[in-house]
Amino acid sequence: HSPLSDARFDEWREMLDINIMGVLNGIAAVLPIMKKQQFGQIVTTDSVAGHVVFEQGAVYCGTKFAVRAIMEGVRKEESKNNIRSTLISPGTVDTELHTTINDPDRRKWVENLQLTIGLKSSDIADAVAYAISTPETAAVSEIIIRPTKQVE
C-alpha cells in the first residue's frame, strides 16, 4: 500500500509470494486428491481490490486480479472433474491487515476504515458457508461482499 514510485521491491515480492504463490500452493496441494475422487471445492479469499484498482495499491490490486484469473482457470480446467471453485472477494474487513502496511499515514487510514465500516470475519464465514452449502450441481463461482457504506 504505497505509490509505485516508492519502489518497495521487498514488499512487492512478499505480496506476490503470499497472495499469488500461496493460492497456487494451496491449489497444487488439493487438486490431485480432488481429481482422483472426481469432486471437491476450492474456496479462496480475494479482495474487492481484485476488481478495482485504488491509489497506492497497484501491486496489491495486481496480485488480487491474478488470483481472480487463477481461480477462473481452475473453474474452466476442472469443471469436467466436478471440482468447483469459489472466489470470495471481501471489501473492508476489521482485521489486522493495517498492521502489515509500512507507510504510517496509509496504515492509520486503513485502520480507521476497518474500525468504522469494516465487516466482521463472521460475515465472510457466512459467505463461505453459503457457497459450500449449495448442491454439487451448482457452483457459486464468485461472491463480492462489501460493507454497505463502502463506495469502492
Side-chain angles (χ1 to χ4, degrees):
H1 290 263
S2 62
L4 288 168
S5 60
D6 284 1
R8 295 183 178 197
F9 296 108
D10 291 340
E11 289 178 22
W12 296 348
R13 173 65 59 199
E14 186 176 23
M15 273 190 276
L16 291 167
D17 285 345
I18 293 169
N19 294 349
I20 298 173
M21 291 308 301
V23 168
L24 288 170
N25 290 335
I27 291 168
V30 300
L31 207 49
I33 297 162
M34 291 180 178
K35 286 177 81 162
K36 183 176 179 180
Q37 65 191 17
Q38 286 292 290
F39 72 92
Q41 184 168 3
I42 299 170
V43 179
T44 301
T45 54
D46 194 42
S47 173
V48 167
H51 300 264
V52 297
V53 178
F54 55 85
E55 190 174 353
Q56 296 186 18
V59 177
Y60 178 75
C61 293
T63 66
K64 296 303 185 173
F65 271 78
V67 170
R68 279 182 60 210
I70 291 163
M71 290 300 285
E72 179 64 5
V74 168
R75 184 189 72 77
K76 288 184 175 184
E77 291 176 15
E78 299 303 332
S79 62
K80 65 185 173 288
N81 293 310
N82 300 311
I83 298 170
R84 302 183 295 166
S85 65
T86 301
L87 183 72
I88 308 288
S89 297
T92 300
V93 181
D94 187 9
T95 67
E96 73 286 344
L97 174 68
H98 65 276
T99 65
T100 67
I101 300 171
N102 290 325
D103 179 274
D105 293 333
R106 187 71 176 173
R107 180 176 49 246
K108 188 65 180 164
W109 182 84
V110 170
E111 180 181 20
N112 184 56
L113 188 66
Q114 290 175 326
L115 291 173
T116 57
I117 69 165
L119 296 169
K120 295 177 177 26
S121 57
S122 60
D123 298 324
I124 309 311
D126 289 344
V128 172
Y130 168 74
I132 64 175
S133 70
T134 58
E136 290 291 321
T137 56
V140 177
S141 300
E142 193 167 346
I143 296 175
I144 299 174
I145 179 170
R146 295 179 175 99
T148 302
K149 293 185 177 189
Q150 183 172 340
V151 177
E152 291 276 348

